[in-house]
Amino acid sequence: MSRAPTAGTVVPGKDQISGVAGALKACALVSGLDETEIYDVAARSSVMRFKTNRRIFEEGEDCAGLWVLTRGRVRLLHLMADGRQHAVGFHAPTAAIDLEAAVDGRAYMTTAVTLTDSEFVFVPRLVLTQLAEDYPITIRNAMQQLCLEVRQRDITAAIAALKDARGRIGCTLLQLARQFGVQDGSAIRIDYPLTRQHIADRAGVTVETAIRVMSEMQQLGVVATDNQIISILDIIRVREAINCEECQFECGVFAEQAGNTTPLRRR
DNA sequence: TCATTAACCGTCG
DNA sequence: CGACGGTTAATGA
């Protein structure tokens, strides 16, 4: 079923397809596929762009396909009855957003909102099922991704149940540092804007509590915020503050896949 | 709109 | 009782 474009043929929108293919290439879901095969997938997908703070899909809505984030930042959340939000997680390229819904074809489990201007490759569900038939390796890739998410959720649930507000906020910051941290001198900068509300939603506390805790940390000089860009100045002290050493949760699963040489790993 | 502070108050160990 | 954290209100940027 895989079709390479005929040589010499002028395919309408060929440039766009190449663009999609280029964006897709880095996605773990299609790793193991060759150029032609990725091009084949790209030809049946489309690119969508969203401004900051736009809904991509909503919890409960039927899943029409898979959104692969190729540029920007996304947060996944549950909207709760009292109007508060619980942020399930944050995503960077090239994450498959709410892969579980795309795989089982049931309703989305979360609402996805862009945190910054973002770009996605949308792979329709029909194409996904074809993909699974044509390239079994994508099934394994998907399982791999899903396993990672299960592990992440498991740890997140444990942290939510067992840690107090400081612990949850500290863990949130460390997870963000793992996922999005860029070295900036001796500090680690989380490379996109996050409001106190975002941190609070992720940690499961109110904004005021997030502020209370983060103000203390700023006064101790372990973190700093500049225009909603959070930097962790002293990662050791953050970890000490939340008893990282004695914590048995393996938060290494929050590191973005590849050459996982994160300096945050304990032991 | 976001960040911050502070007073107040209920829960729980 | 006292720590913790949610609620509410006020203020400034």
Side-chain angles (χ1 to χ4, degrees):
Chain A
M1 175 138 339
S2 103
R3 286 169 299 267
T6 315
T9 307
V10 179
V11 180
K14 190 177 177 208
D15 286 347
Q16 282 108 313
I17 298 175
S18 298
V20 180
L24 264 184
K25 210 179 314 185
C27 179
L29 204 66
V30 294
S31 83
L33 268 57
D34 65 30
E35 295 273 340
T36 312
E37 292 165 337
I38 292 176
Y39 190 97
D40 177 37
V41 178
R44 293 184 275 167
S45 305
S46 49
V47 170
M48 305 279 273
R49 293 187 182 83
F50 293 86
K51 292 289 196 185
T52 302
N53 273 321
R54 295 292 191 283
R55 299 266 174 94
I56 309 308
F57 51 74
E58 287 190 48
E59 183 173 358
E61 186 181 306
D62 282 336
C63 174
L66 178 67
W67 295 93
V68 176
L69 179 63
T70 52
R71 194 167 54 75
R73 297 283 183 266
V74 167
R75 74 178 200 277
L76 291 183
L77 47 90
H78 291 303
L79 296 169
M80 297 185 292
D82 61 2
R84 289 170 61 183
Q85 304 180 347
H86 178 252
V88 174
F90 301 97
H91 286 292
T94 43
I97 309 295
D98 209 328
L99 182 58
E100 43 273 53
V103 167
D104 71 13
R106 302 176 69 177
Y108 285 111
M109 304 212 328
T110 57
T111 296
V113 182
T114 54
L115 276 156
T116 63
D117 292 355
S118 299
E119 180 188 276
F120 300 81
V121 171
F122 179 74
V123 187
R125 239 186 86 65
L126 179 62
V127 176
L128 286 177
T129 50
Q130 291 170 353
L131 201 56
E133 285 166 18
D134 295 351
Y135 313 116
I137 193 173
T138 59
I139 298 175
R140 209 191 62 192
N141 290 341
M143 285 182 64
Q144 203 97 148
Q145 284 302 116
L146 288 171
C147 286
L148 197 60
E149 280 185 43
V150 169
R151 287 169 187 270
Q152 291 181 353
R153 304 248 179 146
D154 183 69
I155 289 171
T156 301
I159 288 170
L162 298 173
K163 302 218 177 218
D164 61 9
R166 325 180 88 76
R168 297 206 295 270
I169 290 167
C171 288
T172 295
L173 293 175
L174 291 181
Q175 285 170 18
L176 289 168
R178 279 181 188 280
Q179 288 189 80
F180 309 107
V182 295
Q183 201 71 37
D184 183 3
S186 63
I188 296 173
R189 181 165 36 84
I190 297 166
D191 72 338
Y192 62 97
L194 282 171
T195 64
R196 292 291 186 261
Q197 186 70 61
H198 288 139
I199 300 294
D201 290 347
R202 177 73 182 107
V205 299
T206 59
V207 219
E208 291 81 0
T209 297
I211 288 167
R212 214 184 272 173
V213 171
M214 290 191 66
S215 292
E216 281 173 31
M217 291 196 283
Q218 301 209 63
Q219 260 147 44
L220 292 172
V222 297
V223 301
T225 306
D226 176 31
N227 255 311
Q228 303 186 332
I229 303 289
I230 299 169
S231 288
I232 297 175
L233 306 178
D234 188 341
I235 192 116
I236 308 287
R237 280 213 274 168
V238 175
R239 287 164 59 197
E240 281 170 2
I242 61 175
N243 266 314
C244 246
E245 317 308 329
E246 299 167 32
C247 175
Q248 67 273 45
F249 304 138
E250 192 38 80
C251 47
V253 294
F254 287 98
E256 272 325 289
Q257 34 253 354
N260 193 339
T261 49
T262 155
L264 312 182
R265 182 151 171 66
R266 59 199 174 95
R267 237 181 286 278

